[in-house]
């Protein structure tokens, strides 16, 4: 097990009564006036926004509003929210939504005290030294942003989608009531589960070898998700299955599933290759849902790189799917390993498809001619080569993208 630093400072209030505690928890945490950040209407339609406001009123927490953050949020929206937060002199930000809303809220929170343009933090990766406190009411389990050190923002004008990382903007408080996820469209539920599994796999396949305590958390989370996901597709108000998915999404990305795997103790574990490849897809095509993109990208990446460390993939095949290489005299060992690894990747992809996720880039209406522009921005974002499990050149990336048709 490698050395690590694990920082998860978020207070989680989880369960059926969680929403009602929002105002009191914010007041107790010292929030006096918050900017309410939300998306494109689901929290208005469900009545959740009004419920949250009522708890704020009751607790004496005042607020201003910034609604309309879109999926794969654009930096132009963040700039406007920063202006609003300054004008209204809020002392904190409350996100009511999923990864897009939370990331828009995070960027607003560290954009307010900064004199320059908030996009600087994404392109120049300069350290974020000040940030308003952030709280979250989570409405879709997926990105894990309610506890993660990441913030991902798009810039449509440049066809870029970039992330920045820092413990300084991990939320102080996350209010999590699985019942608010009953209204999620099937596609978003499925994309969320896919994203969680990707967050776990990015860390698991990070080329460090076995770390049993962390590996068991990782594969245990995947097994729990694979059991719960079909249940909520069948019955959207299955509370226990929704709760399993919601909490798994947090643990998939608060770094507990990567402890001891990082080569640099203070860095997040993982090479994040599938995320790098997906982020270019949703940067150039903002209509692509991040998790749906990953359902196509991750199996293709796995098929391309598994030979760099077959044992790692055999461990995954065994612990997640119970697949072992056949031990028979007439089957050469190499062939048995390849069969087992391929069977595990096939199973994973079949699971994503069973949830209604796409399997090819053509399912998004893309053609091979769309690949070159992705490589240009990928190189600018990640450099060349990039990744950890296997270093990838742009030619590798091209081959992986082309294998997705
Ligand atoms: O905008 P509204 O109307 O609220 O609708 C949203 C949106 O259309 C809808 N929705 C959310 N909660 C709902 C609901 N509909 C009905 N009932 C509810 N309870 O769901 C749609 C998707 O929401 P979004 O926030 O975009 O989903 P997700 O949580 O998957 O976030 C995706 C974003 O997070 C980034 C992605 O790249 C993408 O931009 N990521 C952020 C990460 C992080 N900060 O740690 C890590 C991830 O790897 C990811 O990159
Ligand atoms: Zn993700």
């Amino acid at each position: 097990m490698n050395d690590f630093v694990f920082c998860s400072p978020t207070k989680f209030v989880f369960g059926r009564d969680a929403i009602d505690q929002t105002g009191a928890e914010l007041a107790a945490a010292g929030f006096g006036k918050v900017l309410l950040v939300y998306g494109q209407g689901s929290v208005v339609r469900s009545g959740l926004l009004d419920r949250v406001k009522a708890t704020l009123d009751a607790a004496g927490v005042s607020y201003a509003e910034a609604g309309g953050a879109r999926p794969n949020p654009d930096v132009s929206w963040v700039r406007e929210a920063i202006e609003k937060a300054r004008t209204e002199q809020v002392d904190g930000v409350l996100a009511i939504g999923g990864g897009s809303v939370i990331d828009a809220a995070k960027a607003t929170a560290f954009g307010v005290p900064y004199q320059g343009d908030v996009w600087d933090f994404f392109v120049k990766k300069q350290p974020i030294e000040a940030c308003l406190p952030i709280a979250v009411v989570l409405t879709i389990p997926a990105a894990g942003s309610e506890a993660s050190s990441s913030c991902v923002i798009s810039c449509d004008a440049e066809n870029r989608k970039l992330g920045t990382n820092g413990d300084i903007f991990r939320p102080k408080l996350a209010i999590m009531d699985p019942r608010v996820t009953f209204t999620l469209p099937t596609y978003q539920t499925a994309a969320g589960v896919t994203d969680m599994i990707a967050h776990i796999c990015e860390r698991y396949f990070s080329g460090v070898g076995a770390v049993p305590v962390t590996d068991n958390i990782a594969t245990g989370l995947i097994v729990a998700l694979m059991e719960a996901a079909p249940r909520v597709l069948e019955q959207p108000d299955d509370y226990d299955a929704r709760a399993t998915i919601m909490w798994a999404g947090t643990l998939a990305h608060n770094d507990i599933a990567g402890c001891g795997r990082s080569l640099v103790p203070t860095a997040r574990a993982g090479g994040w290759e599938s995320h790098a490849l997906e982020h270019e897809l949703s940067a150039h095509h903002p209509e692509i849902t991040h998790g749906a993109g990953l359902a196509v990208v991750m199996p293709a990446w796995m098929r391309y790189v598994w030979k760099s460390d077959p044992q790692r993939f055999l461990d995954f095949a065994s612990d997640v799917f119970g697949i072992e290489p056949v031990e028979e005299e007439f089957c050469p060992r190499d062939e048995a390993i390849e069969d087992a690894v391929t069977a595990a990747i096939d199973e994973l992809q079949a699971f994503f498809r069973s949830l209604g996720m796409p399997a090819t880039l053509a399912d998004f209406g893309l053609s091979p001619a769309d690949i070159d522009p992705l490589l240009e921005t990928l190189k600018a974002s990640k450099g060349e080569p990039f990744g950890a499990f296997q270093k990838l050149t742009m030619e590798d990336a091209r081959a992986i993208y082309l294998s997705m048709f």
Side-chain angles (χ1 to χ4, degrees):
M1 188 189 300
N2 289 343
D3 297 349
F4 64 90
V5 174
F6 175 52
C7 170
S8 189
T10 310
K11 177 177 182 179
F12 302 101
V13 180
F14 190 103
R16 295 168 183 82
D17 297 325
I19 302 298
D20 299 334
Q21 298 173 49
T22 308
E25 287 288 347
L26 281 172
F31 289 78
K33 180 174 184 181
V34 292
L35 185 70
L36 284 182
V37 175
Y38 53 93
Q40 300 197 312
S42 72
V43 299
V44 178
R45 290 190 295 277
S46 67
L48 181 63
L49 184 63
D50 284 343
R51 268 182 79 195
V52 169
K53 284 181 185 171
T55 76
L56 299 180
D57 291 338
V61 177
S62 49
Y63 50 83
E65 291 184 42
R70 67 149 214 231
N72 302 320
D74 189 66
V75 67
S76 59
W77 187 95
V78 176
R79 291 184 182 119
E80 284 177 26
I82 290 169
E83 280 317 309
K84 179 124 198 185
R86 286 181 181 146
T87 313
E88 294 284 345
Q89 297 189 312
V90 300
D91 58 23
V93 179
L94 174 60
I96 311 178
S100 298
V101 166
I102 301 168
D103 287 1
K106 285 177 171 177
T108 304
F110 57 69
V112 167
Y114 178 60
Q115 295 311 307
D117 179 26
V118 66
W119 189 239
D120 292 351
F121 290 119
F122 296 87
V123 276
K124 295 185 197 154
K125 304 276 182 193
Q126 65 181 68
I128 296 165
E129 280 160 1
C131 183
L132 295 179
I134 299 155
V136 171
V137 174
L138 187 64
T139 66
I140 168 172
S145 188
E146 66 278 7
S148 79
S149 64
S150 308
C151 173
V152 186
I153 297 292
S154 294
C155 177
D156 288 359
E158 298 173 15
N159 279 332
R160 307 292 298 277
K161 181 178 187 187
L162 296 171
T164 185
N165 284 82
D167 289 329
I168 192 171
F169 58 77
R170 287 188 197 251
K172 304 262 176 281
L173 173 69
I175 304 283
M176 300 167 67
D177 178 350
R179 291 179 308 183
V180 307
T181 69
F182 291 174
T183 53
L184 276 172
T186 306
Y187 191 79
Q188 290 297 337
T189 299
V193 168
T194 306
D195 192 17
M196 294 168 199
I197 292 176
H199 294 162
I200 297 164
C201 287
E202 298 278 22
R203 293 175 169 90
Y204 187 93
F205 295 106
S206 60
V208 183
V211 181
V213 61
T214 296
D215 293 348
N216 280 303
I217 290 172
T219 55
L221 287 170
I222 296 175
V223 170
L225 282 166
M226 292 184 73
E227 193 271 330
R231 282 167 54 200
V232 301
L233 296 197
E234 177 90 0
Q235 195 184 328
D237 62 352
D238 180 331
Y239 179 85
D240 281 323
R242 286 286 189 193
T244 296
I245 292 172
M246 195 174 223
W247 189 230
T250 302
L251 299 182
H253 203 31
N254 79 337
D255 290 330
I256 199 166
C259 291
R261 304 204 59 77
S262 177
L263 299 172
V264 181
T266 50
R268 189 168 63 150
W272 297 88
E273 298 88 342
S274 294
H275 272 69
L277 294 164
E278 193 298 309
H279 281 163
E280 297 312 324
L281 287 173
S282 46
H284 289 256
H285 307 279
E287 71 284 0
I288 293 181
T289 298
H290 171 62
L294 286 166
V296 179
V297 169
M298 196 167 53
W301 172 78
M302 287 177 160
R303 291 183 206 283
Y304 195 82
V305 302
W306 72 266
K307 285 186 179 142
S308 288
D309 187 352
Q311 186 56 48
R312 198 71 198 133
F313 273 87
L314 286 178
D315 291 347
F316 182 78
S318 174
D319 292 346
V320 176
F321 296 108
I323 295 172
E324 306 288 345
V326 288
E327 302 254 354
E328 288 174 24
E329 270 175 42
F330 53 81
C331 182
R333 178 79 184 150
D334 284 355
E335 229 172 80
I337 291 173
E338 178 152 11
D339 286 350
V341 170
T342 305
I345 301 171
D346 287 349
E347 286 274 347
L348 186 66
Q349 189 155 31
F351 170 70
F352 295 149
R353 293 190 75 167
S354 75
L355 302 182
M357 288 288 94
T360 74
L361 289 183
D363 293 339
F364 294 117
L366 301 187
S367 74
D370 293 311
I371 299 308
D372 273 354
L374 307 184
L375 298 173
E376 248 175 66
T377 46
L378 177 66
K379 188 170 179 180
S381 302
K382 292 292 156 190
E384 185 177 17
F386 71 100
F389 192 82
Q390 179 183 314
K391 292 277 178 210
L392 299 173
T393 63
M394 290 307 122
E395 279 314 303
D396 292 320
R398 184 197 304 278
I400 297 172
Y401 279 127
L402 289 176
S403 75
M404 298 178 209
F405 285 98

